[in-house]
Amino acid sequence: RINQNPNAAQTAQPDYLLTAATKAAVDEYWSITRSTNPSSLFVQHWAMIQYTDPDRYIFTNSSFQEFWTVEYSSIVNLDGIIKLADARENPNYKGVALVLRSWAFSLLTDAFGDIPYSQSAQIDQYLTPSYDAQKDVYLGILNDLKDAQADLDPNGKAISGDIIYNNNISLWKKFANSLRLRIALRIANREPDTSKQVLTDIQNEGGAFISSNSEIAQLIYLNSPNQNPISNYFDTRDDYRVSKTIVDKLIQLNDPRLPVFAAKTQDPTAGDYVGLPNGLLVGDASNYGFSRTSKPGAYFIDPHAPAIIMSYSEVLFDRAEAAARGFSDEDAAGLYQQAIAASFNQYNISLSNADLDSYLNLTDVKYDANNFKKSIGDQKWIALFGQGLEAYAEWRRLDYPQLQPAVAGALNGQFPLRFIYPGTEQSLNGSSYKQAVADQGPDLLTTRLWFDVK
């Protein structure tokens, strides 16, 4: 018993471990400089008014290091909770940890493609884990989420330390199913039969999805030092503006979310809201004027603003798409309209029935059953504002909205289609890294991932 601290616990407590792993994973997911930054720039929600290299698709193999490291660290900790849950015979801890671990894996594979999955958490056994093909990662996640659903029992042993749903297991069951639906659609262009089976399984289990804005999966931040990471960033820096692409779209639609997503320009301008084109050279960007372009709205830079993991609006869009694909017998058009209304309500935007109807019947909004990808893709892109990683995955999958590449982009007129692996993978896990590149394609931003069907 030498070299043991008599004043410290030798075995981690699952509740403390759950709190820490959740906060680390969500903070990284919502971090402006590491994951929100590139993905929100790629989908043209945000733009950069200084230090514009990321907006021009200029990255190094250290650019995504912290995202990779923190998410995998959280995965290892969540795996530790699963082991503790088995030892303590508390399946609810296991179920919650499986859901969060599945979400973290999905963020990583959405961004990078092939990733360590089956060997990734057993660091004692696999110091240089092999990479699993993206298809196998998604299928593994779906199996894990099905197991989680079986583990989660509202009448079972209680848990503590849950900072997303305050230990409410019924809501975790809904989130687990909603995440299954998201992943099922992620692979729908490749594996439609599997996608449909996921929907059938959920229905046969009698499972429910997130069904109101009060059930959104989110982390609500507190005061410093636990404030929203975006708020923390804007306290000292001023590098970002709202993209001209989305500002112009919201103006065109007379969309009531505009004053939520964007702040009025500091100096008076025609129309009050001015977006910045993506991917400008530094001088050109600064010429637009710091005080004559719109920062993100106050909602998003408030210290207590939530990090949205999965919204009710997204779930409704997903159910609409599942119906449009014939995976369910629900009403696609009705769910699509409900999704837009839920997005308004998420931001406390109250419209009269007449105003909502007039918006839903605009030519560019009205549901088109003959091109559900365009209808859902365009509106989901708006609704996912701020959720850079999810918006980026869905834009690649649905191919809508049809964006123009960065003005002075560094990829010869191409868009980034993935993140590049961190350099430590080449130096510390070289043989596995090389095999992944051989299987997937060059480790470049422009390499198309398996789920992203052209």
Side-chain angles (χ1 to χ4, degrees):
R1 291 191 173 274
I2 60 171
N3 297 329
Q4 288 188 2
N5 183 348
N7 300 314
Q10 297 300 315
T11 305
Q13 299 298 307
D15 50 344
Y16 294 135
L17 206 52
L18 178 60
T19 302
T22 302
K23 182 153 191 309
V26 176
D27 279 356
E28 185 60 32
Y29 160 71
W30 211 247
S31 163
I32 194 169
T33 54
R34 297 189 291 274
S35 47
T36 292
N37 167 338
S39 49
S40 287
L41 298 175
F42 295 168
V43 295
Q44 299 177 15
H45 283 166
W46 294 34
M48 296 199 77
I49 196 162
Q50 56 181 342
Y51 311 114
T52 61
D53 277 5
D55 207 6
R56 297 179 53 218
Y57 315 144
I58 298 171
F59 296 92
T60 70
N61 63 15
S62 65
S63 300
F64 306 105
Q65 178 71 62
E66 196 156 355
F67 175 48
W68 178 280
T69 302
V70 172
E71 293 302 334
Y72 270 114
S73 175
S74 297
I75 285 166
V76 170
N77 286 330
L78 291 164
D79 210 58
I81 295 172
I82 291 168
K83 292 182 174 68
L84 286 170
D86 285 339
R88 295 178 178 223
E89 298 182 342
N90 188 335
N92 278 328
Y93 271 120
K94 184 175 184 177
V96 168
L98 268 175
V99 174
L100 284 170
R101 194 183 75 174
S102 299
W103 172 65
F105 273 130
S106 72
L107 296 181
L108 288 162
T109 192
D110 288 347
F112 295 99
D114 295 1
I115 57 166
Y117 165 71
S118 56
Q119 297 181 357
S120 63
Q122 295 81 41
I123 53 176
D124 293 338
Q125 191 175 352
Y126 303 107
L127 281 175
T128 55
S130 62
Y131 285 54
D132 296 80
Q134 184 172 64
K135 173 184 174 180
D136 295 330
V137 178
Y138 285 133
L139 295 179
I141 291 171
L142 287 170
N143 285 331
D144 288 344
L145 288 168
K146 191 172 184 179
D147 290 344
Q149 189 57 251
D151 286 325
L152 292 165
D153 180 3
N155 298 314
K157 287 185 180 178
I159 67 166
S160 59
D162 166 25
I163 53 176
I164 293 177
Y165 281 130
N166 196 27
N167 312 307
N168 185 324
I169 299 301
S170 296
L171 293 179
W172 277 100
K173 289 180 77 68
K174 289 188 171 188
F175 177 34
N177 280 341
S178 302
L179 199 50
R180 290 165 82 184
L181 173 60
R182 176 194 280 180
I183 303 300
L185 291 174
R186 196 76 92 236
I187 66 173
N189 290 333
R190 289 283 192 189
E191 300 284 331
D193 292 343
T194 303
S195 302
K196 186 173 183 179
Q197 187 60 49
V198 171
L199 274 291
T200 302
D201 288 347
I202 293 170
Q203 187 174 22
N204 290 341
E205 294 160 10
F209 300 108
I210 290 169
S211 56
S212 72
N213 278 317
S214 65
E215 296 177 353
I216 287 175
Q218 62 186 359
L219 177 58
I220 299 174
Y221 284 96
L222 306 173
N223 293 329
S224 178
N226 293 312
Q227 78 267 46
N228 184 296
I230 295 174
S231 167
N232 191 28
Y233 184 90
F234 273 93
D235 283 344
T236 57
R237 298 197 60 92
D238 189 24
D239 303 336
Y240 292 88
R241 292 296 182 268
V242 183
S243 169
K244 174 176 169 57
T245 308
I246 195 161
V247 168
D248 288 358
K249 185 65 175 178
L250 294 172
I251 290 171
Q252 176 206 331
L253 298 175
N254 195 23
D255 194 300
R257 288 168 289 193
L258 175 61
V260 178
F261 293 179
K264 289 184 178 180
T265 56
Q266 191 176 331
D267 290 347
T269 53
D272 294 330
Y273 300 95
V274 177
L276 184 71
N278 283 91
L280 296 170
L281 298 172
V282 173
D284 294 336
S286 62
N287 285 341
Y288 271 81
F290 284 79
S291 58
R292 299 190 304 278
T293 46
S294 291
K295 295 183 183 183
Y299 175 93
F300 289 92
I301 57 177
D302 185 274
H304 300 162
I308 305 295
I309 299 169
M310 179 173 282
S311 68
Y312 175 44
S313 174
E314 182 199 334
V315 175
L316 289 166
F317 279 123
D318 288 347
R319 286 170 57 193
E321 182 183 340
R325 289 178 178 271
F327 297 165
S328 77
D329 57 5
E330 293 193 291
D331 173 21
L335 288 163
Y336 166 83
Q337 293 180 343
Q338 289 176 50
I340 295 170
S343 179
F344 292 156
N345 292 336
Q346 182 179 337
Y347 297 107
N348 297 315
I349 296 167
S350 182
L351 295 183
S352 68
N353 289 338
D355 285 344
L356 178 60
D357 285 345
S358 67
Y359 182 88
L360 295 172
N361 284 298
L362 290 171
T363 302
D364 285 341
V365 177
K366 194 174 180 67
Y367 181 72
D368 181 359
N370 294 316
N371 193 354
F372 69 85
K373 286 186 177 182
K374 182 180 189 305
S375 293
I376 292 172
D378 285 352
Q379 277 294 323
K380 201 177 203 183
W381 171 72
I382 298 173
L384 288 172
F385 182 83
Q387 287 177 254
L389 286 165
E390 185 58 26
Y392 181 43
E394 288 298 83
W395 170 74
R396 285 174 289 162
R397 186 180 69 83
L398 292 167
D399 297 318
Y400 287 97
Q402 295 186 323
L403 306 174
Q404 295 301 311
V407 174
L411 299 177
N412 297 316
Q414 292 181 273
F415 272 103
L417 299 177
R418 64 183 288 273
F419 291 2
I420 49 178
Y421 293 121
T424 52
E425 283 299 289
Q426 297 178 51
S427 57
L428 301 177
N429 193 14
S431 60
S432 296
Y433 166 84
K434 287 175 184 173
Q435 186 60 54
V437 172
D439 292 341
Q440 178 167 272
D443 186 15
L444 300 172
L445 291 165
T446 50
T447 294
R448 189 177 294 273
L449 300 183
W450 173 83
F451 83 88
D452 180 12
V453 179
K454 197 167 185 177

